């Protein structure tokens, strides 16, 4: 492995451990807990696609006339990720984006989709992402998470966008979702096949395919530029921190729900 990648991963060890061992996972022990988690986490599932699309726009050709890109390794990687994320096969053999699969899982367990639906409706009508997220009645940590993502995208610097994509998302998803599966006991007569399929599909793709490829993308984008490597580390740290803050906010919301009512 590239020595600079090794250095960055070593520098991120503490934050990754904080995320992997977060107390949130111990709170996920009922259907209602899972619903609360998904109602917040769905915004992170959605905004991941904008990181991916920013990289696709910048690293491949999506305009006419088509012009060949010099780095076809990056073109192939981004197109492969886009194919899987935007048009994967769900458990029933239907082509859907992972975001749509996540919504299906939420609907399956009767989670509230109204806030994310209203948000998507607003931006579909041309409203600004930050303005639309700010007006929603959701936890500040969710807003901060999405705003951070779009602040990184707005830099239009590929190595920074790739850092948020790789170290803030793809690189941690296997650990993150395995922990949720391990700590969650779904005791119900209802079916939660869509949720379990979604979790294991991400573990399969991100651990075996997308994670290693995304590290190669970082290497290609940074090369021997020490300034870029340092900026990758900084973005990676802030991306992990906003994820931890989001997890803490969900944990606190779950604890509030479980507090005894004094009469």
């Amino acid at each position: 492995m590239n020595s600079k990648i090794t250095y960055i991963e070593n520098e991120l060890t503490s934050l990754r451990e904080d995320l992997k061992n977060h107390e949130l996972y111990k709170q996920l022990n009922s259907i209602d807990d899972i619903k609360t988690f998904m109602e917040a986490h769905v915004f992170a599932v959605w905004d991941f696609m904008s990181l991916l699309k920013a990289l696709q726009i910048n690293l491949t050709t999506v305009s006419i006339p088509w012009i060949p890109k010099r780095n076809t390794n990056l073109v192939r990687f981004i197109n492969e990720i886009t194919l899987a994320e935007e048009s994967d096969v769900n458990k029933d053999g239907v082509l859907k984006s992972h975001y749509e699969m996540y919504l299906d899982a939420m609907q399956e367990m009767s989670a509230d989709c109204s806030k994310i639906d209203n948000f998507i409706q607003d931006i579909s009508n041309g409203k600004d992402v930050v303005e639309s997220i700010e007006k929603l009645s959701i936890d500040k940590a969710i807003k901060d998470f999405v705003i951070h993502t779009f602040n990184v995208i707005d830099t239009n610097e590929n190595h920074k966008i790739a850092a948020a994509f790789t170290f803030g998302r793809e690189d941690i998803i296997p650990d993150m979702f395995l922990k949720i599966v391990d700590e969650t006991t779904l005791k119900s007569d209802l079916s939660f096949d869509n949720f379990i399929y979604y979790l294991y599909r991400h573990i399969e793709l991100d651990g075996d395919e997308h994670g290693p490829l995304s590290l190669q993308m970082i290497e290609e984008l940074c090369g021997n530029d020490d300034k870029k490597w340092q900026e990758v580390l900084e973005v990676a740290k802030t991306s992990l921190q906003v994820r931890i803050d989001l997890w803490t906010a969900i944990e606190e919301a779950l604890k509030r729900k479980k507090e005894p009512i004094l009469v």
Side-chain angles (χ1 to χ4, degrees), residues 100-236:
E100 291 167 308
M101 289 186 197
Y102 200 85
L103 285 183
D104 287 345
M106 291 179 69
Q107 291 163 2
E108 182 179 57
M109 61 178 67
S110 299
D112 181 8
C113 300
S114 63
K115 291 182 173 62
I116 186 68
D117 286 345
N118 290 339
F119 173 69
I120 296 298
Q121 185 62 51
D122 272 358
I123 61 172
S124 297
N125 291 333
K127 294 185 180 178
D128 179 75
V129 167
V130 173
E131 289 179 7
S132 297
I133 200 79
E134 286 283 20
K135 78 174 189 179
L136 285 178
S137 178
I138 56 176
D139 194 282
K140 182 178 181 297
I142 304 173
K143 297 177 182 181
D144 289 346
F145 188 94
V146 173
I147 290 169
H148 171 266
T149 295
F150 279 83
N151 284 342
V152 173
I153 290 170
D154 287 345
T155 67
N156 204 35
E157 295 184 74
N158 292 329
H159 62 291
K160 292 181 181 179
I161 299 170
F165 178 93
T166 300
F167 297 106
R169 304 298 182 93
E170 297 293 286
D171 198 36
I172 63 170
I173 279 175
D175 285 347
M176 187 175 71
F177 280 166
L178 277 171
K179 197 74 173 178
I180 293 171
V181 172
D182 289 343
E183 298 287 349
T184 301
T185 304
L186 299 177
K187 297 179 179 179
S188 173
D189 293 332
L190 300 175
S191 169
F192 299 98
D193 292 345
N194 284 321
F195 182 58
I196 300 302
Y197 179 89
Y198 175 88
L199 292 180
Y200 279 104
R201 186 64 180 141
H202 262 272
I203 291 165
E204 177 186 2
L205 284 174
D206 297 330
D208 296 339
E209 300 176 30
H210 295 174
L213 286 172
S214 63
L215 293 176
Q216 292 177 28
M217 174 175 61
I218 293 289
E219 292 181 36
E220 297 257 3
L221 290 172
C222 292
N224 296 316
D225 190 324
D226 289 339
K227 182 174 182 290
K228 285 185 177 179
W229 281 107
Q230 182 58 39
E231 289 172 343
V232 161
L233 177 58
E234 291 167 2
V235 171

Side-chain angles (χ1 to χ4, degrees), residues 14-31:
S14 177
L15 287 167
R16 287 172 59 92
E17 286 300 311
D18 287 347
L19 187 61
K20 185 177 179 180
N21 299 308
H22 200 286
E23 290 296 309
L24 165 65
Y25 306 118
K26 295 179 181 178
Q27 297 292 326
L28 295 171
N29 47 37
S30 74
I31 301 305

Side-chain angles (χ1 to χ4, degrees), residues 2-137:
N2 182 298
S3 61
K4 290 185 169 65
I5 290 286
T6 300
Y7 172 75
I8 286 177
E9 294 206 317
N10 288 339
E11 288 292 301
L12 298 178
T13 297
S14 177
L15 287 167
R16 287 172 59 92
E17 286 300 311
D18 287 347
L19 187 61
K20 185 177 179 180
N21 299 308
H22 200 286
E23 290 296 309
L24 165 65
Y25 306 118
K26 295 179 181 178
Q27 297 292 326
L28 295 171
N29 47 37
S30 74
I31 301 305
D32 283 342
D33 296 340
I34 297 296
K35 289 180 187 179
T36 298
F37 170 81
M38 295 183 81
E39 288 162 7
H41 180 239
V42 67
F43 286 90
V45 176
W46 170 79
D47 81 349
F48 169 80
M49 287 303 299
S50 290
L51 284 171
L52 175 57
K53 286 297 177 178
L55 290 170
Q56 188 181 35
I57 289 166
N58 292 344
L59 300 178
T60 75
T61 299
V62 292
S63 58
I64 299 172
W66 178 82
I67 299 170
K69 290 290 187 178
R70 195 162 37 181
N71 194 324
T72 50
N73 289 332
L74 292 179
V75 170
R76 178 62 178 260
F77 168 67
I78 291 300
N79 284 336
E80 282 188 359
I81 293 269
T82 302
L83 176 66
E85 293 288 343
E86 198 168 30
S87 56
D88 203 0
V89 179
N90 75 359
K91 69 178 183 62
D92 299 317
V94 177
L95 294 175
K96 288 195 173 186
S97 69
H98 284 189
Y99 168 74
E100 291 167 308
M101 289 186 197
Y102 200 85
L103 285 183
D104 287 345
M106 291 179 69
Q107 291 163 2
E108 182 179 57
M109 61 178 67
S110 299
D112 181 8
C113 300
S114 63
K115 291 182 173 62
I116 186 68
D117 286 345
N118 290 339
F119 173 69
I120 296 298
Q121 185 62 51
D122 272 358
I123 61 172
S124 297
N125 291 333
K127 294 185 180 178
D128 179 75
V129 167
V130 173
E131 289 179 7
S132 297
I133 200 79
E134 286 283 20
K135 78 174 189 179
L136 285 178
S137 178

